[in-house]
Amino acid sequence: MPVYDTDLRQDSQGRYFRSLGRKLDRSGKTKPHLFRLGRDEGEARKERQRAGIEAAKAKGVYIGRQPGTTKAKPKRAIQLRDQGLTAKEIAQALGVSERTVFRYLDSA
C-alpha cells in the first residue's frame, strides 16, 4: 500500500479531490489510524533508545543507574522512627518527602 495517495477521487458529495499528503481516510475512522501512528512512533523511539544504550554499553560509556543511589537509606528512617520522630520530622532530617518516608517504613 503506497504511503501517498496520488489518485483522483470523488467524495460522497460528488466533489473531486487529490490528496497531496498522506492517505486521508474520509470515512470517519481516522482516530484508530492516529492511535496506530502514535503507538508505532513510540515503539520506534524505544528501539532507537535501546540501540543507543547498547552502543554506549559497547563503548563502555553507559553504566546505568548505580545501586544504592536512593536519597536516604530506609534503615535510617526506621532508626529515626524508633527514636520517636514523626514522619514529617524524618522527612526533613533525610531530605525526602513524607511519602518517601512512608514507603521506607512500609518496606521494612
Side-chain angles (χ1 to χ4, degrees):
M1 177 190 321
V3 176
Y4 292 95
D5 186 4
T6 58
D7 296 333
L8 186 63
R9 297 178 185 248
Q10 188 175 12
D11 65 9
S12 61
Q13 297 177 351
R15 295 176 295 202
Y16 287 94
F17 66 92
R18 185 181 304 270
S19 175
L20 300 177
R22 291 182 179 257
K23 282 193 172 184
L24 299 176
D25 182 7
R26 298 200 182 265
S27 65
K29 299 178 183 177
T30 56
K31 285 187 180 179
H33 179 67
L34 293 176
F35 291 139
R36 276 194 305 276
L37 285 175
R39 182 193 65 217
D40 293 345
E41 178 57 31
E43 290 172 359
R45 184 175 46 247
K46 286 180 185 179
E47 289 176 15
R48 288 192 304 269
Q49 182 179 10
R50 191 176 307 114
I53 289 172
E54 289 174 7
K57 282 183 179 180
K59 291 180 183 178
V61 177
Y62 182 86
I63 53 176
R65 181 181 176 273
Q66 297 300 308
T69 57
T70 56
K71 292 182 182 177
K73 301 288 184 188
K75 291 179 183 178
R76 180 69 177 141
I78 294 167
Q79 290 173 351
L80 293 174
R81 182 195 57 192
D82 293 341
Q83 293 175 6
L85 274 66
T86 65
K88 186 174 185 177
E89 293 168 337
I90 295 170
Q92 289 174 348
L94 298 178
V96 296
S97 69
E98 284 184 61
R99 179 68 187 123
T100 301
V101 170
F102 288 119
R103 285 189 195 112
Y104 287 165
L105 299 176
D106 287 341
S107 66

